[in-house]
Amino acid sequence: MRKLFAAFVCMVLCAGVVQAQNNESMLNLKERQIAAISGSAAKGDKQGLTTALTAGLDAGLTVNEIKEVLVQLYAYCGFPCSMGALNTFMSVLQEREAQGIHDAEGALPTSQEAGRGVEYGAANQRKLFGRDAQGAALSFAPALDQYLKAHLFGDIFGRDNLDWKIRELATIAMLAAMEGTENELKVHIAHGKYNGLTDAQVNEIVTLVRAAEWMPEPSKTFQADLAITVRKVFYKNRYDITLCADVYLPKDMDSTRQYAALIVGHPFGAVKEQCSGLYAQEMAKRGFVALAFDASYQGESGGTPRHTVSPDVLVEDFSASVDWLGIQPFVDRERIGVIGICGSGGFSVCAASIDPRIRALATVSMYDMGRATRNGLGDAMTDEQRKAMFAEVAAQRWREAEGAESRIRFGTPEQLPENANAVQKEFFGYYRNSERGQHPRYQGTRYTSMAALTNFYPFAQIKEISPRPLLFVAGENAHSRYFSEDAYKQANEPKELYIVPDANHVDLYDQRDKIPFDKLVEFFTKNL
């Protein structure tokens, strides 16, 4: 995996949009790194902690700020966890010093009066929570109440080189990383919000900590256009899974206007930093607000077990994205469209057939993942092969029920087999090519999800999309072309099948000279 430690760039909206979006403000870079440090330390993930500490120092956190977080860790995770994290931190500092990097020490807390006692901590509790601490356990064991007041809220929260918002941010991250702490997590989320954290920031903290493949912000697979503002946003679907998306805003955006908006879905198992982000950027350059999201269980979005595939949830993600866009003051909710790429093409067709708020839909290199899993490419799978697949999925379920690691399935292997066919070579040339689509957040899908996919029939209600318009885009030489052609036959008017000359399936992921952006602009301009 490439080591990508590119600094996270905080994109800023124009003043009018920022004013309208205060309730959705995201963590800044330092806050994000504090959450990553706290969560990695609470998990006991030494490698992840080393990465987070390095990124935090590079982001400008001082040595004493990080020390405070790791000392506070012991109150929630225990002395061994805190001591281990501090030892890791010392190793990171020593290595950086050897490299000639001199990190700022930062402020120490002001001197404290020794043994300030229960009353001082109780007063801090009331300021921190807005009320006295409550709970049956505190009444059952009054000594615990005294220790909390005198030590946690007196001694630790009385140290003033971290403010209470940051201390609660760190606490939420610690609790989110641990098992069996849901009640305490809910309590501290309420405390964090009382001290200035927003719902969106809380969602970001929890999602970041619980995403198994979290890493410092890696580069996208396409060249960023610096004229386009990009902002990371978080919102929930109806399954209470937090989705992470990049919203791309038009150049010279007028915050007093309402724009047509597009939701761009990525290929099956992929992430928003790949081709869906490229499409969103290019459509933003052409005047649309464009949202590229990570599907549930993938990338930076939430959902456990990680890398699960649930067709119903993946369809819901599109409607949840409509929800978020439709309540933004700069979006005209009557002009929201969707671009579904590859597997997202099928999921987006299903979404549009049941969600009339999607006013226009274009698919590109569409896959019907239900049919592809059920019948194989070109409908070449035999009944015996299908039964063998179900048997292997069932056997893998037994293994995982007995404690085995999840089996992860990639659309393309890390090494191309000698007898690879043309389709395997095509996908390998994108997903495993560092000059094209290779990305560290591309982590595959759970093998046991295949059985659920066979029950997915995305075109069952495709006729319900009419009279909203449909555009199916496919490459002339694409192995997947038949999915678009069959969907076109089943759909009612208005509809169009657009074949891109001399293009294969993957060409339409990233080859700008072949992707018909002008056709997409014409379609959505006319129909939104």
mmCIF file of all heavy atoms in Angstrom, residues 211 213 270-273 294-295 297-302 306-307 441:
data_model
loop_
_atom_site.group_PDB
_atom_site.id
_atom_site.type_symbol
_atom_site.label_atom_id
_atom_site.label_comp_id
_atom_site.label_asym_id
_atom_site.label_seq_id
_atom_site.Cartn_x
_atom_site.Cartn_y
_atom_site.Cartn_z
ATOM 1 N N ALA A 211 -13.971 3.513 11.332
ATOM 2 C CA ALA A 211 -13.599 3.074 9.982
ATOM 3 C C ALA A 211 -12.278 2.328 10.083
ATOM 4 O O ALA A 211 -11.251 2.899 10.405
ATOM 5 C CB ALA A 211 -13.481 4.262 9.033
ATOM 6 N N GLU A 213 -10.237 1.248 7.997
ATOM 7 C CA GLU A 213 -9.155 1.614 7.094
ATOM 8 C C GLU A 213 -8.833 3.101 7.145
ATOM 9 O O GLU A 213 -8.323 3.668 6.195
ATOM 10 C CB GLU A 213 -9.495 1.205 5.648
ATOM 11 C CG GLU A 213 -10.701 1.910 5.038
ATOM 12 C CD GLU A 213 -11.996 1.207 5.367
ATOM 13 O OE1 GLU A 213 -12.023 0.405 6.296
ATOM 14 O OE2 GLU A 213 -12.984 1.483 4.669
ATOM 15 N N ALA A 270 -15.761 0.442 -4.868
ATOM 16 C CA ALA A 270 -14.779 1.523 -5.023
ATOM 17 C C ALA A 270 -15.039 2.615 -3.981
ATOM 18 O O ALA A 270 -15.813 2.437 -3.037
ATOM 19 C CB ALA A 270 -14.846 2.082 -6.437
ATOM 20 N N VAL A 271 -14.388 3.756 -4.138
ATOM 21 C CA VAL A 271 -14.513 4.868 -3.192
ATOM 22 C C VAL A 271 -14.589 6.189 -3.952
ATOM 23 O O VAL A 271 -14.265 6.261 -5.142
ATOM 24 C CB VAL A 271 -13.337 4.909 -2.189
ATOM 25 C CG1 VAL A 271 -13.429 3.758 -1.194
ATOM 26 C CG2 VAL A 271 -11.985 4.904 -2.901
ATOM 27 N N LYS A 272 -14.959 7.233 -3.230
ATOM 28 C CA LYS A 272 -15.221 8.536 -3.842
ATOM 29 C C LYS A 272 -13.966 9.220 -4.358
ATOM 30 O O LYS A 272 -14.058 10.182 -5.142
ATOM 31 C CB LYS A 272 -15.913 9.454 -2.829
ATOM 32 C CG LYS A 272 -15.064 9.805 -1.611
ATOM 33 C CD LYS A 272 -15.855 10.618 -0.605
ATOM 34 C CE LYS A 272 -15.002 10.979 0.613
ATOM 35 N NZ LYS A 272 -14.402 9.799 1.291
ATOM 36 N N GLU A 273 -12.788 8.780 -3.921
ATOM 37 C CA GLU A 273 -11.543 9.409 -4.389
ATOM 38 C C GLU A 273 -11.156 8.919 -5.778
ATOM 39 O O GLU A 273 -10.160 9.387 -6.339
ATOM 40 C CB GLU A 273 -10.404 9.118 -3.403
ATOM 41 C CG GLU A 273 -10.513 9.866 -2.091
ATOM 42 C CD GLU A 273 -11.469 9.227 -1.096
ATOM 43 O OE1 GLU A 273 -11.913 8.073 -1.346
ATOM 44 O OE2 GLU A 273 -11.791 9.865 -0.081
ATOM 45 N N ASP A 294 -19.087 8.015 -0.408
ATOM 46 C CA ASP A 294 -18.687 6.631 -0.177
ATOM 47 C C ASP A 294 -19.927 5.837 0.224
ATOM 48 O O ASP A 294 -20.667 6.240 1.131
ATOM 49 C CB ASP A 294 -17.666 6.539 0.963
ATOM 50 C CG ASP A 294 -16.258 6.900 0.524
ATOM 51 O OD1 ASP A 294 -15.925 6.676 -0.645
ATOM 52 O OD2 ASP A 294 -15.486 7.416 1.362
ATOM 53 N N ALA A 295 -20.151 4.706 -0.421
ATOM 54 C CA ALA A 295 -21.281 3.856 -0.056
ATOM 55 C C ALA A 295 -21.118 3.352 1.374
ATOM 56 O O ALA A 295 -20.015 3.269 1.907
ATOM 57 C CB ALA A 295 -21.369 2.670 -1.017
ATOM 58 N N TYR A 297 -20.489 1.153 4.477
ATOM 59 C CA TYR A 297 -19.529 0.078 4.748
ATOM 60 C C TYR A 297 -18.206 0.241 3.995
ATOM 61 O O TYR A 297 -17.318 -0.592 4.149
ATOM 62 C CB TYR A 297 -20.112 -1.318 4.419
ATOM 63 C CG TYR A 297 -21.480 -1.570 4.982
ATOM 64 C CD1 TYR A 297 -22.609 -1.575 4.170
ATOM 65 C CD2 TYR A 297 -21.656 -1.808 6.346
ATOM 66 C CE1 TYR A 297 -23.874 -1.801 4.693
ATOM 67 C CE2 TYR A 297 -22.923 -2.042 6.878
ATOM 68 C CZ TYR A 297 -24.031 -2.030 6.040
ATOM 69 O OH TYR A 297 -25.275 -2.261 6.562
ATOM 70 N N GLN A 298 -18.079 1.299 3.190
ATOM 71 C CA GLN A 298 -16.877 1.483 2.386
ATOM 72 C C GLN A 298 -16.215 2.821 2.697
ATOM 73 O O GLN A 298 -16.873 3.769 3.137
ATOM 74 C CB GLN A 298 -17.205 1.434 0.884
ATOM 75 C CG GLN A 298 -17.874 0.163 0.410
ATOM 76 C CD GLN A 298 -16.974 -1.051 0.454
ATOM 77 O OE1 GLN A 298 -15.759 -0.943 0.397
ATOM 78 N NE2 GLN A 298 -17.571 -2.225 0.577
ATOM 79 N N GLY A 299 -14.910 2.916 2.410
ATOM 80 C CA GLY A 299 -14.199 4.185 2.490
ATOM 81 C C GLY A 299 -14.366 4.860 3.833
ATOM 82 O O GLY A 299 -14.194 4.249 4.890
ATOM 83 N N GLU A 300 -14.712 6.147 3.793
ATOM 84 C CA GLU A 300 -14.870 6.919 5.022
ATOM 85 C C GLU A 300 -16.287 6.863 5.583
ATOM 86 O O GLU A 300 -16.542 7.432 6.647
ATOM 87 C CB GLU A 300 -14.486 8.378 4.775
ATOM 88 C CG GLU A 300 -13.007 8.624 4.591
ATOM 89 C CD GLU A 300 -12.689 10.100 4.573
ATOM 90 O OE1 GLU A 300 -13.028 10.765 3.574
ATOM 91 O OE2 GLU A 300 -12.119 10.593 5.560
ATOM 92 N N SER A 301 -17.193 6.215 4.881
ATOM 93 C CA SER A 301 -18.547 6.089 5.423
ATOM 94 C C SER A 301 -18.580 5.042 6.521
ATOM 95 O O SER A 301 -17.695 4.191 6.634
ATOM 96 C CB SER A 301 -19.540 5.727 4.313
ATOM 97 O OG SER A 301 -19.801 6.852 3.497
ATOM 98 N N GLY A 302 -19.618 5.129 7.361
ATOM 99 C CA GLY A 302 -19.758 4.197 8.457
ATOM 100 C C GLY A 302 -20.383 2.885 8.019
ATOM 101 O O GLY A 302 -20.536 2.610 6.829
ATOM 102 N N ARG A 306 -17.482 -3.989 8.361
ATOM 103 C CA ARG A 306 -16.915 -3.273 7.228
ATOM 104 C C ARG A 306 -16.939 -4.131 5.969
ATOM 105 O O ARG A 306 -16.858 -5.350 6.012
ATOM 106 C CB ARG A 306 -15.459 -2.856 7.530
ATOM 107 C CG ARG A 306 -15.313 -1.951 8.740
ATOM 108 C CD ARG A 306 -16.091 -0.661 8.578
ATOM 109 N NE ARG A 306 -15.558 0.167 7.504
ATOM 110 C CZ ARG A 306 -16.199 1.199 6.978
ATOM 111 N NH1 ARG A 306 -17.426 1.498 7.366
ATOM 112 N NH2 ARG A 306 -15.637 1.915 6.034
ATOM 113 N N HIS A 307 -17.124 -3.450 4.826
ATOM 114 C CA HIS A 307 -17.060 -4.051 3.495
ATOM 115 C C HIS A 307 -18.237 -4.968 3.183
ATOM 116 O O HIS A 307 -18.206 -5.740 2.237
ATOM 117 C CB HIS A 307 -15.737 -4.794 3.285
ATOM 118 C CG HIS A 307 -14.546 -4.051 3.791
ATOM 119 N ND1 HIS A 307 -14.276 -2.761 3.402
ATOM 120 C CD2 HIS A 307 -13.594 -4.376 4.695
ATOM 121 C CE1 HIS A 307 -13.191 -2.338 4.037
ATOM 122 N NE2 HIS A 307 -12.767 -3.286 4.833
ATOM 123 N N ARG A 441 -7.878 3.377 -0.089
ATOM 124 C CA ARG A 441 -9.191 3.143 0.521
ATOM 125 C C ARG A 441 -10.021 2.115 -0.251
ATOM 126 O O ARG A 441 -11.108 1.743 0.194
ATOM 127 C CB ARG A 441 -9.968 4.466 0.639
ATOM 128 C CG ARG A 441 -9.451 5.351 1.763
ATOM 129 C CD ARG A 441 -10.334 6.545 2.004
ATOM 130 N NE ARG A 441 -9.868 7.307 3.146
ATOM 131 C CZ ARG A 441 -9.789 8.630 3.202
ATOM 132 N NH1 ARG A 441 -10.167 9.348 2.163
ATOM 133 N NH2 ARG A 441 -9.337 9.231 4.270
#
